Amino acid sequence: QEFGLSKEDRRQKENGRKRHGRVMKDRDELAAKQVLGYTRLKGVTFWKITDLYKDSYYFGYVVDEFAREVRRQGCSWVAAPAPRALPILGAVALKAGLPACYIHKAGELPGETRSVSEGPYKLELPVSLNLKGHKIALIDDGVSSGGSMLACAKLLEQAGGEVVVYMAPVMYQYAAAKAAREAILPPVHQAKIFTLFDLGDTPPPPIEGTLAL
């Protein structure tokens, strides 16, 4: 199974994923093609992940791949934290034909809730949401330390669900982000991560031309 592969084997496998017959070889492609904008503050790059939603090719690629993985994992629900991952959540749920729920920050919901406090993350879901027996794909806009995904997973498990895959378009490969993932995420959770692109701290030089579909 894919999640039993080494990190290098997974990287090679993901590099070979295709859409419309074209191989996505460059995992820094979103940055190199200047699909994503960025700002630099005190020597740190902040990527504008929401720019992905402006590009129909790349957004469509992400949705197609995520929906395919959701089906492969046998998921019966998809979930995401609000707000930046909601466009992907809605599109994947529609493509896969599955129900979706989004996870709120603490204090946003009226009535009785179940909640999780994990480091800086304070999240909640309505008590009425019953996910017992369901396999869930948890979607976010990017994976950095993995702390938010871990908090979301604990909350979904409180509701009775089982998170079988963590999905995000990009994996941040800053040295600090990688070190934080190693420290925060147990291996069993790291093995569930499914991403399509890597983003480093230094933007790669732009690639000339356009991509053929």
Side-chain angles (χ1 to χ4, degrees), residues 104-117:
H104 296 259
K105 293 181 180 179
E108 291 183 345
L109 286 174
E112 190 177 359
T113 63
R114 54 171 51 93
S115 62
V116 158
S117 180

Side-chain angles (χ1 to χ4, degrees), residues 103-108 115-124 151 155:
I103 297 164
H104 296 259
K105 293 181 180 179
E108 291 183 345
S115 62
V116 158
S117 180
E118 184 80 16
Y121 306 103
K122 295 176 174 57
L123 308 169
E124 64 184 15
L155 184 56

Side-chain angles (χ1 to χ4, degrees), residues 132-163:
K132 186 176 181 180
H134 289 283
K135 292 184 177 180
I136 303 168
L138 177 58
I139 299 173
D140 210 342
D141 62 321
V143 179
S144 182
S145 70
S148 64
M149 282 194 161
L150 188 59
C152 289
K154 289 183 177 181
L155 184 56
L156 292 166
E157 288 166 0
Q158 273 192 29
E162 177 192 2
V163 177

Side-chain angles (χ1 to χ4, degrees), residues 26-129:
D26 186 354
R27 287 170 57 90
D28 261 326
E29 190 174 299
L30 284 179
K33 292 299 298 184
Q34 298 183 323
V35 174
L36 302 182
Y38 63 90
T39 57
R40 295 279 292 178
L41 181 63
K42 296 182 179 181
V44 178
T45 302
F46 293 90
W47 296 98
K48 299 177 181 177
I49 300 300
T50 51
D51 284 354
L52 176 69
Y53 307 142
K54 302 175 186 177
D55 189 293
S56 61
Y57 176 82
Y58 284 102
F59 187 50
Y61 171 73
V62 168
V63 171
D64 286 350
E65 290 298 305
F66 279 16
R68 185 177 293 114
E69 184 66 10
V70 163
R71 296 189 192 102
R72 193 183 76 82
Q73 293 287 342
C75 297
S76 49
W77 274 79
V78 289
R84 292 192 300 179
L86 294 188
I88 304 177
L89 173 69
V92 172
L94 184 63
K95 182 84 175 181
L98 295 177
C101 68
Y102 72 93
I103 297 164
H104 296 259
K105 293 181 180 179
E108 291 183 345
L109 286 174
E112 190 177 359
T113 63
R114 54 171 51 93
S115 62
V116 158
S117 180
E118 184 80 16
Y121 306 103
K122 295 176 174 57
L123 308 169
E124 64 184 15
L125 284 171
V127 167
S128 58
L129 181 64

